């Protein structure tokens, strides 16, 4: 289940493999709205949600990234230079950069440019479920097959079962 609250206090949720698109609930008015492929989502499987600025919401689907702005949904894959791939995780860091975890790598969009962390940068597994930034600048990446991968901008470090992780 993906869940976020936008700047207007509305709750957004999606259900991954269950499909159904993204739902928005306004607790003030009691109005629930549904957004699906017919409204512009790349796919009805919603894996991740992240509130943006000015009431926008980023939506990670089984076929890529979209952005909701009011009642409008825009497919953002081409504009941000992302592959047509499932988006499993979204987060904004303290600087406002949007981190996009996909089935084809990790991407960071700073509002102007998109930077990729993929096999080209030494990422051993491009199926990325999530990411987090550490205080020391290392990006920690949760992968499908290689456990936890640290990336410092130059090289990767893999932590897996040999380091005590469960999987």
């Amino acid at each position: 289940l993906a869940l976020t609250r936008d700047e207007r206090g509305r709750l957004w949720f999606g259900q991954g493999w269950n499909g159904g698109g993204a739902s928005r609930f306004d607790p003030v008015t009691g109005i629930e709205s549904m957004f699906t492929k017919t409204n512009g989502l790349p796919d009805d499987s919603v894996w991740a949600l992240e509130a943006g600025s000015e009431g926008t919401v980023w939506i990670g689907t089984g076929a890529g990234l979209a952005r909701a702005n009011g009642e409008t949904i825009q497919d953002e894959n081409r504009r941000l230079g992302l592959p047509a791939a499932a988006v499993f995780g979204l987060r904004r860091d303290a600087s406002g950069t949007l981190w996009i975890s996909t089935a084809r790598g990790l991407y960071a969009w700073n509002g102007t440019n998109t930077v990729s962390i993929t096999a080209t940068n030494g990422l051993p597994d491009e199926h990325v479920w999530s990411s987090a930034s550490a205080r020391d600048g290392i990006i920690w990446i949760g992968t499908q097959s290689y456990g936890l991968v640290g990336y410092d901008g130059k090289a990767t470090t893999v932590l897996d079962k040999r380091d005590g992780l469960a999987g």
Side-chain angles (χ1 to χ4, degrees):
L1 180 69
L3 180 66
T4 195
R5 179 182 298 237
D6 68 21
E7 288 183 342
R8 295 182 183 140
R10 299 174 296 188
L11 300 172
W12 289 76
F13 52 97
Q15 299 182 48
W17 289 119
N18 290 334
S23 299
R24 180 183 69 199
F25 176 72
D26 188 328
V28 174
T29 64
I31 296 173
E32 183 178 341
S33 303
M34 299 288 296
F35 301 92
T36 63
K37 284 178 70 171
T38 58
N39 304 100
L41 284 180
D43 187 67
D44 284 339
S45 298
V46 173
W47 287 96
L49 295 161
E50 179 70 20
S53 59
E54 300 174 13
T56 63
V57 172
W58 295 95
I59 304 170
T61 76
L65 184 66
R67 185 171 50 97
N69 189 0
E71 302 302 313
T72 304
I73 303 287
Q74 294 176 323
D75 186 321
E76 294 287 346
N77 289 326
R78 185 171 293 138
R79 184 173 77 89
L80 272 58
L82 301 174
V87 174
F88 298 117
L90 295 169
R91 69 177 177 86
R92 285 193 312 165
D93 65 19
S95 71
T97 296
L98 180 68
W99 291 87
I100 307 155
S101 301
T102 80
R104 296 197 36 215
L106 179 64
Y107 297 83
W109 183 67
N110 66 8
T112 306
N113 299 311
T114 302
V115 174
S116 63
I117 302 172
T118 62
T120 304
N121 312 85
L123 189 61
D125 181 1
E126 290 189 343
H127 190 122
V128 175
W129 286 104
S130 59
S131 72
S133 300
R135 288 186 199 140
D136 61 5
I138 293 177
I139 304 300
W140 289 100
I141 304 165
T143 68
Q144 176 76 21
S145 302
Y146 277 79
L148 189 60
V149 177
Y151 182 68
D152 66 2
K154 296 177 185 173
T156 59
T157 301
V158 176
L159 299 178
D160 57 20
K161 289 181 181 181
R162 297 171 295 187
D163 301 294
L165 294 182

Tab-separated table of all heavy atoms in Angstrom, residues 94-114:
chain	number	residue	atom	x	y	z
A	94	ALA	N	16.123	16.398	1.635
A	94	ALA	CA	16.081	17.736	2.245
A	94	ALA	C	16.290	18.853	1.235
A	94	ALA	O	15.790	19.967	1.410
A	94	ALA	CB	17.126	17.836	3.359
A	95	SER	N	16.993	18.578	0.139
A	95	SER	CA	17.220	19.606	-0.884
A	95	SER	C	16.084	19.674	-1.896
A	95	SER	O	16.107	20.521	-2.781
A	95	SER	CB	18.546	19.338	-1.608
A	95	SER	OG	18.431	18.193	-2.434
A	96	GLY	N	15.108	18.768	-1.787
A	96	GLY	CA	13.983	18.752	-2.716
A	96	GLY	C	14.161	17.815	-3.890
A	96	GLY	O	13.267	17.684	-4.714
A	97	THR	N	15.308	17.134	-3.971
A	97	THR	CA	15.530	16.176	-5.054
A	97	THR	C	14.575	15.005	-4.897
A	97	THR	O	14.392	14.485	-3.798
A	97	THR	CB	16.988	15.671	-5.050
A	97	THR	OG1	17.839	16.789	-5.324
A	97	THR	CG2	17.224	14.597	-6.097
A	98	LEU	N	13.956	14.600	-6.012
A	98	LEU	CA	13.060	13.451	-6.026
A	98	LEU	C	13.866	12.222	-6.419
A	98	LEU	O	14.489	12.185	-7.488
A	98	LEU	CB	11.917	13.670	-7.025
A	98	LEU	CG	10.912	12.533	-7.135
A	98	LEU	CD1	10.099	12.401	-5.838
A	98	LEU	CD2	9.984	12.763	-8.324
A	99	TRP	N	13.887	11.203	-5.555
A	99	TRP	CA	14.580	9.944	-5.814
A	99	TRP	C	13.539	8.935	-6.270
A	99	TRP	O	12.521	8.733	-5.615
A	99	TRP	CB	15.298	9.472	-4.555
A	99	TRP	CG	16.452	10.366	-4.221
A	99	TRP	CD1	16.421	11.510	-3.477
A	99	TRP	CD2	17.797	10.206	-4.659
A	99	TRP	NE1	17.671	12.067	-3.424
A	99	TRP	CE2	18.540	11.286	-4.128
A	99	TRP	CE3	18.455	9.251	-5.435
A	99	TRP	CZ2	19.896	11.440	-4.363
A	99	TRP	CZ3	19.811	9.399	-5.661
A	99	TRP	CH2	20.516	10.483	-5.123
A	100	ILE	N	13.825	8.294	-7.411
A	100	ILE	CA	12.870	7.424	-8.075
A	100	ILE	C	13.478	6.028	-8.188
A	100	ILE	O	14.432	5.812	-8.940
A	100	ILE	CB	12.531	7.989	-9.473
A	100	ILE	CG1	12.089	9.452	-9.352
A	100	ILE	CG2	11.476	7.130	-10.160
A	100	ILE	CD1	12.296	10.275	-10.604
A	101	SER	N	12.947	5.080	-7.427
A	101	SER	CA	13.422	3.691	-7.442
A	101	SER	C	12.615	2.911	-8.464
A	101	SER	O	11.384	2.823	-8.355
A	101	SER	CB	13.243	3.051	-6.061
A	101	SER	OG	13.956	3.763	-5.081
A	102	THR	N	13.307	2.334	-9.453
A	102	THR	CA	12.603	1.666	-10.544
A	102	THR	C	13.120	0.248	-10.766
A	102	THR	O	14.125	-0.162	-10.187
A	102	THR	CB	12.745	2.433	-11.876
A	102	THR	OG1	14.020	2.149	-12.460
A	102	THR	CG2	12.573	3.928	-11.692
A	103	ALA	N	12.460	-0.465	-11.652
A	103	ALA	CA	12.899	-1.798	-12.059
A	103	ALA	C	14.116	-1.723	-12.971
A	103	ALA	O	14.682	-2.756	-13.334
A	103	ALA	CB	11.759	-2.534	-12.759
A	104	ARG	N	14.549	-0.506	-13.338
A	104	ARG	CA	15.712	-0.320	-14.208
A	104	ARG	C	16.703	0.694	-13.649
A	104	ARG	O	17.362	1.405	-14.393
A	104	ARG	CB	15.244	0.084	-15.604
A	104	ARG	CG	14.428	-1.055	-16.223
A	104	ARG	CD	14.214	-1.036	-17.681
A	104	ARG	NE	15.287	-0.558	-18.485
A	104	ARG	CZ	15.116	0.131	-19.606
A	104	ARG	NH1	13.895	0.410	-20.030
A	104	ARG	NH2	16.140	0.521	-20.313
A	105	GLY	N	16.805	0.762	-12.322
A	105	GLY	CA	17.797	1.628	-11.691
A	105	GLY	C	17.184	2.670	-10.779
A	105	GLY	O	15.971	2.733	-10.594
A	106	LEU	N	18.070	3.488	-10.205
A	106	LEU	CA	17.677	4.586	-9.323
A	106	LEU	C	17.945	5.894	-10.051
A	106	LEU	O	18.993	6.061	-10.670
A	106	LEU	CB	18.493	4.529	-8.022
A	106	LEU	CG	18.230	5.620	-6.994
A	106	LEU	CD1	16.795	5.536	-6.469
A	106	LEU	CD2	19.222	5.500	-5.840
A	107	TYR	N	17.000	6.822	-9.960
A	107	TYR	CA	17.100	8.105	-10.651
A	107	TYR	C	16.848	9.226	-9.662
A	107	TYR	O	16.038	9.091	-8.747
A	107	TYR	CB	16.095	8.170	-11.806
A	107	TYR	CG	16.380	7.127	-12.843
A	107	TYR	CD1	15.933	5.819	-12.681
A	107	TYR	CD2	17.152	7.422	-13.949
A	107	TYR	CE1	16.244	4.845	-13.609
A	107	TYR	CE2	17.470	6.445	-14.885
A	107	TYR	CZ	17.001	5.157	-14.703
A	107	TYR	OH	17.325	4.199	-15.622
A	108	ALA	N	17.560	10.329	-9.853
A	108	ALA	CA	17.394	11.512	-9.007
A	108	ALA	C	17.071	12.693	-9.908
A	108	ALA	O	17.816	12.986	-10.848
A	108	ALA	CB	18.664	11.778	-8.214
A	109	TRP	N	15.965	13.382	-9.624
A	109	TRP	CA	15.563	14.558	-10.397
A	109	TRP	C	15.564	15.761	-9.462
A	109	TRP	O	14.852	15.791	-8.459
A	109	TRP	CB	14.179	14.343	-11.004
A	109	TRP	CG	13.737	15.484	-11.867
A	109	TRP	CD1	14.274	15.879	-13.051
A	109	TRP	CD2	12.664	16.382	-11.604
A	109	TRP	NE1	13.595	16.964	-13.541
A	109	TRP	CE2	12.606	17.298	-12.673
A	109	TRP	CE3	11.750	16.502	-10.565
A	109	TRP	CZ2	11.657	18.306	-12.737
A	109	TRP	CZ3	10.807	17.514	-10.632
A	109	TRP	CH2	10.773	18.403	-11.700
A	110	ASN	N	16.398	16.757	-9.796
A	110	ASN	CA	16.542	17.930	-8.924
A	110	ASN	C	15.662	19.101	-9.345
A	110	ASN	O	15.848	20.211	-8.873
A	110	ASN	CB	18.001	18.369	-8.873
A	110	ASN	CG	18.517	18.878	-10.205
A	110	ASN	OD1	17.765	19.059	-11.162
A	110	ASN	ND2	19.815	19.102	-10.284
A	111	GLY	N	14.716	18.868	-10.227
A	111	GLY	CA	13.849	19.933	-10.717
A	111	GLY	C	14.260	20.422	-12.087
A	111	GLY	O	13.495	21.070	-12.781
A	112	THR	N	15.492	20.102	-12.485
A	112	THR	CA	16.025	20.490	-13.792
A	112	THR	C	16.634	19.315	-14.527
A	112	THR	O	16.350	19.094	-15.694
A	112	THR	CB	17.118	21.576	-13.628
A	112	THR	OG1	16.584	22.660	-12.869
A	112	THR	CG2	17.584	22.092	-14.967
A	113	ASN	N	17.484	18.558	-13.826
A	113	ASN	CA	18.215	17.449	-14.448
A	113	ASN	C	17.898	16.129	-13.769
A	113	ASN	O	17.636	16.088	-12.567
A	113	ASN	CB	19.730	17.679	-14.358
A	113	ASN	CG	20.148	18.931	-15.078
A	113	ASN	OD1	19.774	19.152	-16.221
A	113	ASN	ND2	20.923	19.758	-14.405
A	114	THR	N	17.996	15.054	-14.564
A	114	THR	CA	17.840	13.703	-14.038
A	114	THR	C	19.185	13.001	-14.093
A	114	THR	O	19.854	13.012	-15.119
A	114	THR	CB	16.809	12.906	-14.860
A	114	THR	OG1	15.560	13.603	-14.841
A	114	THR	CG2	16.617	11.506	-14.289
